[in-house]
Amino acid sequence: MTYLTVKQLATRYSASVPTIWRWARETDFPKPIKLTSNCTRWRLADLEKWEAEREVA
């Protein structure tokens, strides 16, 4: 399974790091997974599913 960091997401979506966190908190953007106390990541599969749903809508 592939996981992405918040910095990788910011690059992927041309957004700032705070914007990614706001999207996760306030919208239907996929929620992050807390792997350890200092390690939070997003599953690539969840992001791709979210992207596909947005293309259809």
Side-chain angles (χ1 to χ4, degrees):
M1 189 166 296
T2 303
Y3 293 95
L4 300 176
T5 67
V6 70
K7 289 182 182 181
Q8 290 172 311
L9 293 183
T11 299
R12 183 181 182 104
Y13 298 116
S14 299
S16 68
V17 169
T19 296
I20 299 297
W21 285 114
R22 183 173 47 81
W23 289 350
R25 195 174 55 249
E26 298 176 3
T27 71
D28 66 340
F29 192 74
K31 302 302 179 214
I33 308 295
K34 193 153 185 81
L35 300 176
T36 66
S37 62
N38 294 325
C39 183
T40 303
R41 300 287 187 268
W42 279 260
R43 281 192 203 109
L44 180 58
D46 293 345
L47 296 164
E48 290 172 339
K49 180 181 174 195
W50 178 78
E51 290 167 0
E53 290 169 354
R54 291 180 55 88
E55 287 176 7
V56 171

